[in-house]
Coordinates of all heavy atoms in Angstrom, one line a residue:
G215 N -24.8 -35.4 31.0 CA -24.7 -35.4 32.5 C -23.9 -34.3 33.0 O -22.7 -34.5 33.4
C216 N -24.5 -33.1 33.0 CA -23.7 -32.0 33.6 C -24.7 -31.2 34.5 O -25.9 -31.4 34.5 CB -23.1 -31.1 32.6 SG -24.3 -30.1 31.6
R217 N -24.1 -30.3 35.3 CA -24.8 -29.4 36.2 C -24.8 -28.0 35.5 O -23.8 -27.6 34.9 CB -24.2 -29.3 37.6 CG -24.3 -30.7 38.3 CD -23.7 -30.7 39.6 NE -22.3 -30.4 39.5 CZ -21.5 -29.9 40.5 NH1 -22.1 -29.6 41.7 NH2 -20.3 -29.6 40.3
V218 N -25.9 -27.3 35.6 CA -26.0 -26.0 34.9 C -26.3 -25.0 36.0 O -27.2 -25.2 36.9 CB -27.2 -26.0 33.9 CG1 -27.3 -24.6 33.3 CG2 -27.0 -27.1 32.8
F219 N -25.5 -23.9 36.0 CA -25.7 -22.8 36.9 C -25.9 -21.5 36.1 O -25.2 -21.2 35.2 CB -24.4 -22.6 37.8 CG -24.0 -23.8 38.6 CD1 -23.1 -24.8 38.0 CD2 -24.6 -24.1 39.8 CE1 -22.8 -25.9 38.7 CE2 -24.3 -25.2 40.5 CZ -23.3 -26.1 40.0
H220 N -27.0 -20.9 36.5 CA -27.3 -19.6 35.9 C -26.9 -18.5 36.9 O -27.5 -18.4 38.0 CB -28.8 -19.5 35.5 CG -29.2 -18.3 34.8 ND1 -30.4 -17.6 35.0 CD2 -28.6 -17.5 33.9 CE1 -30.5 -16.6 34.2 NE2 -29.4 -16.5 33.5
H221 N -25.9 -17.7 36.6 CA -25.3 -16.8 37.6 C -25.9 -15.4 37.5 O -25.3 -14.5 38.2 CB -23.8 -16.7 37.3 CG -23.1 -18.0 37.6 ND1 -22.5 -18.2 38.9 CD2 -22.8 -19.1 36.9 CE1 -22.0 -19.4 38.9 NE2 -22.1 -19.9 37.7
T222 N -26.9 -15.1 36.8 CA -27.4 -13.8 36.7 C -28.9 -13.8 37.0 O -29.6 -14.8 36.9 CB -27.2 -13.2 35.3 OG1 -27.6 -14.2 34.3 CG2 -25.8 -12.9 35.0
P223 N -29.4 -12.6 37.4 CA -30.8 -12.5 37.7 C -31.6 -12.7 36.4 O -31.0 -12.8 35.3 CB -31.0 -11.1 38.3 CG -29.9 -10.4 37.8 CD -28.7 -11.4 37.6
V224 N -32.9 -12.7 36.5 CA -33.8 -12.7 35.3 C -33.3 -11.7 34.3 O -33.2 -10.5 34.7 CB -35.2 -12.6 35.7 CG1 -36.1 -12.5 34.4 CG2 -35.7 -13.7 36.6
V225 N -33.1 -12.0 33.1 CA -32.7 -11.1 32.0 C -33.9 -10.6 31.3 O -34.6 -11.4 30.6 CB -31.7 -11.8 31.0 CG1 -31.3 -10.8 29.9 CG2 -30.5 -12.3 31.8
R226 N -34.2 -9.3 31.5 CA -35.3 -8.7 30.8 C -34.9 -8.3 29.4 O -33.8 -7.7 29.2 CB -35.8 -7.5 31.6 CG -36.4 -8.0 32.9 CD -36.9 -6.8 33.7 NE -37.8 -6.0 32.9 CZ -38.1 -4.7 33.1 NH1 -37.6 -4.1 34.1 NH2 -38.9 -4.1 32.3
I227 N -35.8 -8.4 28.4 CA -35.5 -7.9 27.1 C -36.3 -6.7 26.8 O -36.1 -6.1 25.7 CB -35.7 -9.0 26.0 CG1 -37.1 -9.6 26.1 CG2 -34.7 -10.2 26.2 CD1 -37.5 -10.5 24.9
D228 N -37.1 -6.3 27.7 CA -37.8 -5.0 27.5 C -37.5 -4.1 28.7 O -37.2 -4.6 29.8 CB -39.3 -5.3 27.4 CG -39.9 -6.0 28.7 OD1 -39.1 -6.6 29.4 OD2 -41.1 -5.9 28.9
G229 N -37.6 -2.9 28.5 CA -37.3 -2.0 29.7 C -35.9 -1.6 29.7 O -35.0 -2.1 29.0
E230 N -35.6 -0.6 30.6 CA -34.2 0.0 30.7 C -33.3 -0.7 31.6 O -32.1 -0.6 31.5 CB -34.4 1.5 31.1 CG -35.1 2.3 30.1 CD -34.3 2.5 28.9 OE1 -33.1 2.7 29.0 OE2 -34.9 2.5 27.8
D231 N -33.8 -1.4 32.6 CA -32.9 -1.8 33.7 C -32.4 -3.3 33.5 O -32.5 -4.1 34.4 CB -33.5 -1.6 35.1 CG -34.9 -2.4 35.2 OD1 -35.4 -2.7 34.1 OD2 -35.3 -2.6 36.3
R232 N -31.9 -3.6 32.4 CA -31.4 -4.9 32.1 C -30.0 -5.1 32.9 O -29.3 -4.2 33.1 CB -31.1 -5.2 30.7 CG -32.4 -5.2 29.9 CD -32.2 -5.6 28.4 NE -31.2 -4.7 27.8 CZ -30.7 -4.9 26.6 NH1 -31.0 -6.0 26.0 NH2 -29.9 -4.0 26.1
T233 N -29.8 -6.3 33.3 CA -28.5 -6.6 33.9 C -27.4 -6.5 32.8 O -27.7 -6.9 31.6 CB -28.5 -8.0 34.5 OG1 -27.2 -8.3 35.1 CG2 -28.8 -9.1 33.5
P234 N -26.2 -6.1 33.1 CA -25.2 -5.9 32.1 C -24.7 -7.2 31.5 O -24.2 -7.2 30.3 CB -24.0 -5.2 32.8 CG -24.6 -4.6 34.0 CD -25.8 -5.5 34.4
Y235 N -24.7 -8.3 32.2 CA -24.2 -9.6 31.8 C -25.1 -10.7 32.0 O -25.9 -10.7 33.0 CB -22.9 -9.9 32.5 CG -21.7 -9.0 32.2 CD1 -21.5 -7.8 32.9 CD2 -20.9 -9.2 31.1 CE1 -20.5 -7.0 32.6 CE2 -19.8 -8.4 30.8 CZ -19.6 -7.3 31.6 OH -18.6 -6.4 31.2
C236 N -25.0 -11.7 31.2 CA -25.7 -13.0 31.4 C -24.6 -14.0 31.4 O -23.7 -14.1 30.6 CB -26.7 -13.3 30.2 SG -27.5 -14.9 30.4
V237 N -24.6 -14.9 32.5 CA -23.5 -15.9 32.7 C -24.2 -17.3 32.9 O -25.0 -17.4 33.8 CB -22.6 -15.5 33.9 CG1 -21.5 -16.5 34.0 CG2 -22.1 -14.1 33.7
W238 N -23.7 -18.2 32.1 CA -24.2 -19.6 32.2 C -22.9 -20.5 32.4 O -21.9 -20.3 31.7 CB -24.8 -20.1 30.9 CG -26.2 -19.5 30.8 CD1 -26.6 -18.3 30.2 CD2 -27.4 -20.1 31.2 NE1 -27.9 -18.2 30.2 CE2 -28.5 -19.3 30.8 CE3 -27.7 -21.4 31.8 CZ2 -29.8 -19.6 31.1 CZ3 -29.1 -21.6 32.0 CH2 -30.1 -20.8 31.7
E239 N -23.0 -21.4 33.4 CA -21.9 -22.3 33.7 C -22.4 -23.8 33.5 O -23.5 -24.1 34.0 CB -21.4 -22.1 35.1 CG -20.4 -23.1 35.5 CD -20.0 -23.0 37.0 OE1 -20.5 -22.0 37.7 OE2 -19.1 -23.7 37.4
Y240 N -21.7 -24.6 32.7 CA -22.0 -26.0 32.5 C -20.8 -26.7 33.1 O -19.7 -26.6 32.6 CB -22.2 -26.3 31.0 CG -23.4 -25.6 30.4 CD1 -23.3 -24.3 29.9 CD2 -24.6 -26.3 30.4 CE1 -24.4 -23.7 29.4 CE2 -25.8 -25.7 29.8 CZ -25.6 -24.4 29.3 OH -26.7 -23.8 28.8
A241 N -21.0 -27.5 34.1 CA -20.0 -28.2 34.8 C -20.2 -29.7 34.8 O -21.3 -30.2 35.0 CB -19.8 -27.8 36.2
A242 N -19.2 -30.5 34.5 CA -19.3 -32.0 34.5 C -19.7 -32.4 35.9 O -19.3 -31.8 36.9 CB -18.0 -32.6 34.1
A243 N -20.5 -33.4 36.0 CA -21.0 -33.9 37.3 C -19.9 -34.2 38.2 O -20.0 -34.1 39.5 CB -22.0 -35.0 37.1
D244 N -18.8 -34.8 37.7 CA -17.7 -35.2 38.5 C -16.7 -34.0 38.8 O -15.6 -34.2 39.4 CB -16.9 -36.4 37.9 CG -16.3 -36.1 36.6 OD1 -16.4 -34.9 36.1 OD2 -15.8 -37.0 36.0
G245 N -16.9 -32.8 38.3 CA -16.1 -31.7 38.6 C -14.8 -31.6 37.7 O -13.9 -30.8 38.0
R246 N -14.7 -32.5 36.7 CA -13.4 -32.6 36.0 C -13.3 -31.4 35.0 O -12.2 -31.0 34.6 CB -13.4 -33.9 35.2 CG -13.1 -35.1 36.1 CD -13.0 -36.3 35.2 NE -11.9 -37.2 35.3 CZ -10.7 -37.0 35.8 NH1 -10.3 -35.9 36.3 NH2 -9.7 -38.0 35.9
S247 N -14.4 -30.9 34.5 CA -14.3 -29.8 33.5 C -15.6 -28.9 33.6 O -16.6 -29.3 34.2 CB -14.2 -30.4 32.1 OG -15.3 -31.2 31.8
A248 N -15.4 -27.8 33.0 CA -16.6 -26.8 33.0 C -16.4 -25.9 31.9 O -15.2 -25.6 31.4 CB -16.7 -26.1 34.3
M249 N -17.5 -25.3 31.4 CA -17.4 -24.2 30.4 C -18.4 -23.2 30.9 O -19.4 -23.5 31.4 CB -17.6 -24.7 29.0 CG -19.0 -25.2 28.7 SD -19.1 -25.7 27.0 CE -20.8 -25.5 26.7
V250 N -18.0 -21.9 30.6 CA -18.8 -20.8 31.1 C -18.9 -19.8 29.9 O -17.9 -19.4 29.3 CB -18.1 -20.1 32.3 CG1 -18.9 -18.8 32.7 CG2 -18.0 -21.0 33.5
G251 N -20.1 -19.4 29.6 CA -20.4 -18.4 28.6 C -20.7 -17.1 29.3 O -21.6 -17.1 30.2
I252 N -20.0 -16.0 29.0 CA -20.3 -14.7 29.6 C -20.7 -13.8 28.4 O -19.9 -13.7 27.5 CB -19.1 -14.2 30.3 CG1 -18.7 -15.1 31.5 CG2 -19.3 -12.7 30.8 CD1 -17.4 -14.7 32.2
F253 N -21.9 -13.3 28.5 CA -22.5 -12.5 27.4 C -22.7 -11.1 27.9 O -23.5 -10.9 28.9 CB -23.8 -13.1 26.9 CG -23.6 -14.6 26.6 CD1 -23.8 -15.6 27.6 CD2 -23.2 -15.0 25.3 CE1 -23.7 -16.9 27.3 CE2 -23.0 -16.3 25.0 CZ -23.2 -17.3 26.0
K254 N -22.2 -10.1 27.2 CA -22.4 -8.7 27.6 C -23.7 -8.2 26.9 O -23.7 -8.2 25.7 CB -21.2 -7.8 27.3 CG -21.3 -6.4 27.9 CD -20.0 -5.7 27.9 CE -20.2 -4.3 28.6 NZ -18.9 -3.6 28.6
L255 N -24.6 -7.7 27.7 CA -25.9 -7.3 27.1 C -26.1 -5.8 27.0 O -26.9 -5.4 26.2 CB -27.0 -7.8 28.0 CG -27.0 -9.3 28.3 CD1 -28.1 -9.7 29.3 CD2 -27.2 -10.1 27.0
T256 N -25.3 -5.0 27.7 CA -25.4 -3.6 27.6 C -24.0 -3.0 27.4 O -23.0 -3.7 27.4 CB -26.0 -3.0 28.9 OG1 -25.0 -3.1 30.0 CG2 -27.3 -3.7 29.3
D257 N -23.9 -1.7 27.3 CA -22.6 -1.0 27.2 C -22.1 -0.5 28.5 O -21.3 0.4 28.6 CB -22.7 0.2 26.2 CG -22.7 -0.3 24.7 OD1 -21.9 -1.3 24.4 OD2 -23.4 0.2 23.9
A258 N -22.6 -1.0 29.6 CA -22.1 -0.7 30.9 C -20.6 -0.9 31.0 O -20.1 -1.9 30.5 CB -22.8 -1.5 32.0
P259 N -19.9 0.0 31.7 CA -18.4 0.0 31.7 C -17.8 -1.1 32.6 O -16.7 -1.5 32.4 CB -18.0 1.4 32.1 CG -19.2 1.9 32.9 CD -20.4 1.3 32.3
E260 N -18.5 -1.5 33.6 CA -17.9 -2.4 34.6 C -17.7 -3.8 34.0 O -18.5 -4.3 33.2 CB -18.8 -2.5 35.9 CG -20.1 -3.1 35.7 CD -21.2 -2.2 35.4 OE1 -21.0 -1.0 35.1 OE2 -22.4 -2.6 35.4
P261 N -16.6 -4.5 34.5 CA -16.4 -5.8 34.1 C -17.3 -6.8 34.8 O -18.0 -6.4 35.8 CB -14.9 -6.1 34.5 CG -14.7 -5.1 35.6 CD -15.6 -3.9 35.3
C262 N -17.4 -8.0 34.3 CA -18.2 -9.0 34.9 C -17.3 -9.8 36.0 O -16.2 -10.2 35.6 CB -18.7 -10.0 33.9 SG -19.6 -11.4 34.6
R263 N -17.8 -9.9 37.2 CA -17.1 -10.6 38.2 C -17.8 -12.0 38.4 O -19.0 -12.0 38.8 CB -17.1 -9.9 39.5 CG -16.5 -10.6 40.7 CD -15.1 -10.8 40.8 NE -14.3 -9.6 40.7 CZ -13.0 -9.6 40.6 NH1 -12.3 -10.8 40.6 NH2 -12.3 -8.5 40.5
F264 N -17.2 -13.1 38.0 CA -17.8 -14.4 38.0 C -17.1 -15.3 39.0 O -15.9 -15.4 39.1 CB -17.6 -15.0 36.5 CG -17.8 -16.4 36.5 CD1 -19.1 -17.0 36.6 CD2 -16.7 -17.3 36.3 CE1 -19.2 -18.4 36.6 CE2 -16.9 -18.6 36.2 CZ -18.1 -19.2 36.4
T265 N -17.9 -16.1 39.7 CA -17.4 -17.0 40.7 C -17.9 -18.4 40.3 O -19.2 -18.6 40.4 CB -17.8 -16.7 42.1 OG1 -17.4 -15.3 42.4 CG2 -17.2 -17.6 43.1
P266 N -17.1 -19.3 39.9 CA -17.6 -20.6 39.5 C -18.1 -21.4 40.6 O -17.6 -21.3 41.8 CB -16.3 -21.3 38.9 CG -15.2 -20.5 39.3 CD -15.6 -19.2 39.7
R267 N -19.2 -22.2 40.4 CA -19.8 -23.0 41.4 C -19.7 -24.5 41.2 O -19.9 -25.3 42.1 CB -21.3 -22.6 41.5 CG -21.4 -21.2 42.0 CD -22.8 -20.7 42.2 NE -23.9 -21.6 42.1 CZ -25.1 -21.2 41.8 NH1 -25.4 -20.0 41.4 NH2 -26.1 -22.1 41.7
G268 N -19.3 -25.0 40.0 CA -19.3 -26.4 39.6 C -18.0 -27.1 39.7 O -17.9 -28.2 39.3
L269 N -16.9 -26.4 40.2 CA -15.6 -27.0 40.2 C -15.4 -27.6 41.6 O -15.9 -27.3 42.6 CB -14.5 -25.9 40.0 CG -14.7 -25.0 38.7 CD1 -13.5 -24.0 38.7 CD2 -14.7 -25.9 37.5
D270 N -14.4 -28.6 41.5 CA -14.0 -29.3 42.8 C -13.1 -28.3 43.5 O -12.0 -28.0 43.0 CB -13.3 -30.6 42.4 CG -12.6 -31.3 43.6 OD1 -12.7 -30.8 44.7 OD2 -12.1 -32.4 43.3
I271 N -13.5 -27.9 44.6 CA -12.8 -26.8 45.4 C -11.3 -27.3 45.8 O -10.5 -26.5 46.1 CB -13.6 -26.3 46.6 CG1 -13.1 -25.0 47.0 CG2 -13.6 -27.3 47.7 CD1 -14.1 -24.2 47.8
T272 N -11.1 -28.6 45.8 CA -9.8 -29.1 46.2 C -8.8 -29.3 45.0 O -7.6 -29.6 45.2 CB -9.9 -30.5 46.9 OG1 -10.4 -31.4 46.0 CG2 -10.8 -30.4 48.1
A273 N -9.3 -29.0 43.8 CA -8.5 -29.2 42.6 C -7.9 -28.0 42.0 O -8.3 -26.8 42.3 CB -9.4 -29.9 41.6
T274 N -6.9 -28.1 41.1 CA -6.4 -27.1 40.4 C -6.8 -27.3 38.9 O -6.9 -28.4 38.4 CB -4.8 -27.0 40.5 OG1 -4.5 -26.8 41.8 CG2 -4.2 -26.0 39.6
Y275 N -7.1 -26.2 38.2 CA -7.6 -26.3 36.9 C -6.8 -25.5 35.9 O -6.2 -24.5 36.3 CB -9.1 -25.7 36.8 CG -10.1 -26.6 37.5 CD1 -10.2 -26.6 38.9 CD2 -10.8 -27.5 36.7 CE1 -11.1 -27.4 39.5 CE2 -11.8 -28.3 37.4 CZ -11.9 -28.3 38.7 OH -12.8 -29.1 39.3
R276 N -6.8 -25.9 34.7 CA -6.3 -25.1 33.6 C -7.5 -24.3 33.1 O -8.5 -24.9 32.7 CB -5.7 -25.9 32.4 CG -5.2 -25.0 31.3 CD -4.4 -25.7 30.2 NE -3.6 -26.7 30.7 CZ -2.3 -26.6 31.2 NH1 -1.9 -25.3 31.3 NH2 -1.6 -27.6 31.6
L277 N -7.4 -23.0 33.2 CA -8.4 -22.1 32.7 C -8.0 -21.5 31.4 O -6.8 -20.9 31.3 CB -8.6 -21.0 33.8 CG -9.4 -19.7 33.3 CD1 -10.8 -20.1 32.8 CD2 -9.4 -18.7 34.4
R278 N -8.8 -21.6 30.4 CA -8.5 -21.0 29.1 C -9.5 -20.0 28.7 O -10.7 -20.3 28.8 CB -8.4 -22.1 28.0 CG -7.9 -21.5 26.7 CD -7.5 -22.6 25.7 NE -8.6 -23.4 25.2 CZ -9.2 -23.1 24.1 NH1 -8.9 -22.0 23.4 NH2 -10.2 -23.8 23.7
F279 N -9.1 -18.8 28.3 CA -10.0 -17.8 27.7 C -10.0 -18.0 26.2 O -9.0 -17.9 25.5 CB -9.4 -16.4 28.0 CG -9.5 -16.1 29.5 CD1 -8.5 -16.5 30.4 CD2 -10.5 -15.3 30.0 CE1 -8.5 -16.2 31.7 CE2 -10.6 -15.0 31.3 CZ -9.6 -15.4 32.2
D280 N -11.2 -18.4 25.7 CA -11.3 -18.8 24.3 C -11.0 -17.7 23.3 O -10.5 -17.9 22.2 CB -12.6 -19.5 24.1 CG -12.7 -20.2 22.7 OD1 -11.9 -21.1 22.6 OD2 -13.5 -19.9 21.9
N281 N -11.4 -16.5 23.7 CA -11.3 -15.4 22.7 C -9.8 -15.1 22.3 O -9.5 -14.9 21.1 CB -11.8 -14.1 23.3 CG -13.3 -14.0 23.2 OD1 -14.0 -14.9 22.7 ND2 -13.9 -13.0 23.9
D282 N -8.9 -15.2 23.2 CA -7.5 -14.9 22.9 C -6.6 -16.1 23.1 O -5.4 -16.0 22.8 CB -7.0 -13.6 23.5 CG -6.9 -13.8 25.1 OD1 -7.1 -14.9 25.6 OD2 -6.6 -12.8 25.7
G283 N -7.1 -17.2 23.6 CA -6.3 -18.4 23.9 C -5.4 -18.3 25.1 O -4.7 -19.3 25.4
A284 N -5.5 -17.3 25.9 CA -4.7 -17.2 27.1 C -5.1 -18.3 28.1 O -6.3 -18.6 28.1 CB -4.8 -15.8 27.7
S285 N -4.2 -18.8 28.8 CA -4.5 -19.8 29.8 C -3.6 -19.6 31.1 O -2.6 -19.0 31.0 CB -4.3 -21.2 29.2 OG -3.0 -21.5 29.0
A286 N -4.1 -20.2 32.1 CA -3.4 -20.2 33.4 C -3.8 -21.4 34.2 O -4.9 -21.9 34.0 CB -3.7 -18.9 34.2
E287 N -3.0 -21.8 35.2 CA -3.3 -22.8 36.1 C -3.8 -22.2 37.4 O -3.0 -21.3 37.9 CB -2.2 -23.8 36.4 CG -1.8 -24.6 35.2 CD -0.6 -25.5 35.4 OE1 -0.2 -25.7 36.6 OE2 -0.2 -26.1 34.4
V288 N -5.0 -22.5 37.9 CA -5.5 -21.8 39.0 C -6.2 -22.8 40.0 O -6.9 -23.7 39.5 CB -6.6 -20.7 38.6 CG1 -5.9 -19.6 37.9 CG2 -7.6 -21.3 37.7
P289 N -6.0 -22.6 41.3 CA -6.7 -23.5 42.3 C -8.2 -23.1 42.3 O -8.5 -21.9 42.3 CB -6.0 -23.2 43.6 CG -4.8 -22.3 43.3 CD -5.0 -21.8 41.9
A290 N -9.1 -24.0 42.4 CA -10.5 -23.8 42.4 C -10.8 -23.0 43.7 O -11.7 -22.1 43.7 CB -11.3 -25.0 42.4
Y291 N -10.1 -23.2 44.8 CA -10.4 -22.5 46.0 C -10.2 -21.0 45.8 O -11.0 -20.2 46.3 CB -9.5 -23.0 47.2 CG -9.7 -22.3 48.5 CD1 -10.8 -22.6 49.3 CD2 -8.9 -21.3 48.9 CE1 -11.1 -22.0 50.4 CE2 -9.2 -20.6 50.1 CZ -10.3 -20.9 50.8 OH -10.5 -20.3 52.0
A292 N -9.1 -20.6 45.2 CA -8.8 -19.2 44.9 C -9.9 -18.6 44.0 O -10.4 -17.5 44.2 CB -7.5 -19.0 44.3
L293 N -10.4 -19.4 43.0 CA -11.4 -18.9 42.2 C -12.7 -18.7 43.0 O -13.4 -17.7 42.7 CB -11.7 -19.9 41.0 CG -10.6 -20.1 40.0 CD1 -10.9 -21.2 39.1 CD2 -10.4 -18.8 39.2
R294 N -13.0 -19.6 43.9 CA -14.2 -19.4 44.7 C -14.1 -18.2 45.6 O -15.1 -17.5 45.9 CB -14.4 -20.7 45.6 CG -15.6 -20.7 46.5 CD -16.9 -20.9 45.8 NE -17.0 -22.2 45.0 CZ -17.5 -23.3 45.5 NH1 -17.9 -23.4 46.7 NH2 -17.5 -24.4 44.7
Q295 N -12.9 -17.9 46.1 CA -12.7 -16.7 47.0 C -12.7 -15.4 46.3 O -13.2 -14.4 46.7 CB -11.5 -16.9 47.8 CG -11.5 -18.1 48.8 CD -12.6 -18.0 49.7 OE1 -12.8 -17.1 50.4 NE2 -13.4 -19.1 49.8
Q296 N -12.0 -15.4 45.1 CA -11.7 -14.1 44.4 C -12.6 -13.9 43.2 O -12.8 -12.8 42.7 CB -10.3 -14.0 44.1 CG -9.4 -14.1 45.2 CD -7.9 -14.4 44.8 OE1 -7.6 -14.4 43.7 NE2 -7.1 -14.7 45.8
G297 N -13.0 -15.0 42.6 CA -13.7 -14.9 41.3 C -12.8 -14.5 40.2 O -11.6 -14.5 40.3
I298 N -13.4 -14.3 39.0 CA -12.6 -14.0 37.8 C -13.3 -12.8 37.2 O -14.5 -12.7 37.1 CB -12.8 -15.1 36.7 CG1 -12.2 -16.4 37.3 CG2 -12.0 -14.8 35.4 CD1 -12.6 -17.7 36.5
S299 N -12.5 -11.8 36.9 CA -13.0 -10.6 36.3 C -12.8 -10.7 34.8 O -11.7 -10.9 34.3 CB -12.2 -9.4 36.8 OG -12.7 -8.2 36.2
V300 N -13.9 -10.4 34.0 CA -13.9 -10.5 32.6 C -14.4 -9.2 32.0 O -15.5 -8.8 32.3 CB -14.7 -11.7 32.0 CG1 -14.8 -11.7 30.5 CG2 -14.2 -13.0 32.5
S301 N -13.6 -8.5 31.2 CA -14.0 -7.3 30.6 C -14.3 -7.5 29.1 O -13.5 -8.2 28.4 CB -12.9 -6.2 30.7 OG -12.7 -5.8 32.0
L302 N -15.4 -7.1 28.7 CA -15.8 -7.2 27.3 C -16.0 -5.8 26.7 O -16.5 -4.9 27.4 CB -17.1 -8.0 27.1 CG -16.9 -9.5 27.5 CD1 -18.2 -10.2 27.6 CD2 -16.0 -10.2 26.5
P303 N -15.6 -5.6 25.5 CA -15.6 -4.2 24.9 C -16.9 -3.5 24.7 O -17.0 -2.3 24.9 CB -14.9 -4.4 23.6 CG -15.1 -5.8 23.2 CD -15.2 -6.6 24.5
R304 N -18.0 -4.2 24.4 CA -19.3 -3.5 24.1 C -20.4 -4.6 24.2 O -20.1 -5.8 24.4 CB -19.2 -2.9 22.7 CG -19.0 -3.9 21.6 CD -18.8 -3.3 20.3 NE -18.4 -4.3 19.3 CZ -17.3 -5.0 19.2 NH1 -16.3 -4.7 20.1 NH2 -17.1 -5.9 18.3
S305 N -21.6 -4.1 24.1 CA -22.8 -5.0 24.2 C -22.7 -6.0 23.0 O -22.1 -5.7 22.0 CB -24.1 -4.2 24.1 OG -24.2 -3.5 22.9
L306 N -23.3 -7.1 23.2 CA -23.4 -8.2 22.3 C -22.1 -8.8 21.9 O -21.9 -9.3 20.8 CB -24.2 -7.7 21.0 CG -25.6 -7.1 21.2 CD1 -26.2 -6.7 19.9 CD2 -26.4 -8.1 22.0
T307 N -21.2 -8.8 22.9 CA -19.9 -9.5 22.8 C -19.9 -10.6 23.9 O -20.7 -10.5 24.8 CB -18.7 -8.6 22.9 OG1 -18.7 -7.9 24.2 CG2 -18.6 -7.6 21.8
S308 N -19.0 -11.6 23.8 CA -19.0 -12.7 24.7 C -17.6 -13.2 24.9 O -16.7 -12.9 24.2 CB -19.9 -13.8 24.3 OG -19.5 -14.3 23.0
E309 N -17.5 -14.1 26.0 CA -16.3 -14.8 26.2 C -16.6 -16.2 26.7 O -17.7 -16.4 27.4 CB -15.5 -14.1 27.4 CG -14.2 -14.8 27.8 CD -13.1 -14.9 26.8 OE1 -12.3 -13.9 26.7 OE2 -13.0 -15.9 26.0
L310 N -15.9 -17.2 26.3 CA -16.0 -18.5 26.7 C -14.9 -18.9 27.5 O -13.7 -18.8 27.1 CB -16.1 -19.5 25.4 CG -16.2 -21.0 25.7 CD1 -17.6 -21.3 26.4 CD2 -16.1 -21.8 24.4
L311 N -15.1 -19.4 28.8 CA -14.1 -19.8 29.7 C -14.1 -21.4 29.7 O -15.2 -21.9 29.9 CB -14.3 -19.3 31.1 CG -14.4 -17.8 31.2 CD1 -14.6 -17.4 32.7 CD2 -13.2 -17.1 30.7
L312 N -13.0 -22.0 29.6 CA -12.9 -23.5 29.6 C -12.0 -23.9 30.8 O -10.9 -23.4 30.9 CB -12.4 -24.0 28.3 CG -13.2 -23.6 27.1 CD1 -12.4 -23.9 25.8 CD2 -14.5 -24.3 27.1
F313 N -12.5 -24.8 31.6 CA -11.8 -25.3 32.8 C -11.6 -26.8 32.6 O -12.5 -27.5 32.3 CB -12.7 -25.1 34.1 CG -13.0 -23.7 34.4 CD1 -14.1 -23.0 33.9 CD2 -12.2 -23.0 35.3 CE1 -14.4 -21.7 34.2 CE2 -12.4 -21.7 35.6 CZ -13.5 -21.0 35.1
E314 N -10.3 -27.2 32.9 CA -10.0 -28.6 32.9 C -9.2 -29.0 34.1 O -8.1 -28.3 34.3 CB -9.2 -29.0 31.6 CG -8.9 -30.4 31.5 CD -8.1 -30.7 30.2 OE1 -7.7 -29.8 29.5 OE2 -7.8 -31.9 30.0
R315 N -9.7 -29.9 34.9 CA -8.9 -30.3 36.1 C -7.6 -30.9 35.8 O -7.5 -31.7 34.9 CB -9.8 -31.2 37.0 CG -9.2 -31.6 38.3 CD -10.1 -32.2 39.3 NE -10.6 -33.4 38.8 CZ -11.7 -34.1 39.3 NH1 -12.3 -33.5 40.3 NH2 -12.1 -35.2 38.8
L316 N -6.6 -30.5 36.5 CA -5.2 -31.0 36.3 C -5.0 -32.2 37.2 O -5.6 -32.4 38.2 CB -4.2 -29.9 36.5 CG -4.3 -28.7 35.6 CD1 -3.3 -27.7 36.0 CD2 -4.0 -29.1 34.2

């Protein structure tokens, strides 16, 4: 029982003009938690700017970056307004973001 949000346009696997990132968000129906997979598809230099859609905008969450274990407490409202910038070093790398409502 979760909601799924696909944050990127159609990802083409043929041709030159692929989107640099593919982003999937899986959010608990009650807004208590979410996980987001960010996948870098090209070597484009720009970071991915991600804005979560499945969080309770009135809540604060513990956000954990799975690659390095860094975490922070962040209000969902601020995340909705500013988004999260994720930089990945090269194509075919990824980051998993984990959200838990406090």
Side-chain angles (χ1 to χ4, degrees):
C216 70
R217 296 180 296 158
V218 178
F219 301 95
H220 185 215
H221 290 271
T222 46
V224 173
V225 176
R226 293 181 52 202
I227 57 172
D228 60 339
E230 294 292 322
D231 59 341
R232 294 187 300 170
T233 182
Y235 291 92
C236 178
V237 180
W238 286 85
E239 176 183 359
Y240 295 85
D244 63 4
R246 289 183 127 342
S247 61
M249 65 180 205
V250 177
I252 300 175
F253 307 92
K254 189 166 186 179
L255 305 175
T256 71
D257 282 321
E260 68 267 8
C262 177
R263 172 73 57 184
F264 161 72
T265 304
R267 294 182 7 208
L269 303 180
D270 175 356
I271 200 160
T272 66
T274 296
Y275 289 82
R276 179 173 321 282
L277 164 60
R278 186 167 70 90
F279 292 81
D280 193 59
N281 284 351
D282 66 6
S285 66
E287 294 181 7
V288 290
Y291 181 79
L293 293 172
R294 181 73 60 92
Q295 297 301 309
Q296 300 164 7
I298 302 166
S299 182
V300 174
S301 294
L302 293 168
R304 63 188 172 286
S305 66
L306 304 180
T307 58
S308 63
E309 176 68 85
L310 177 65
L311 305 180
L312 302 167
F313 297 87
E314 182 180 5
R315 185 165 59 195
L316 298 174

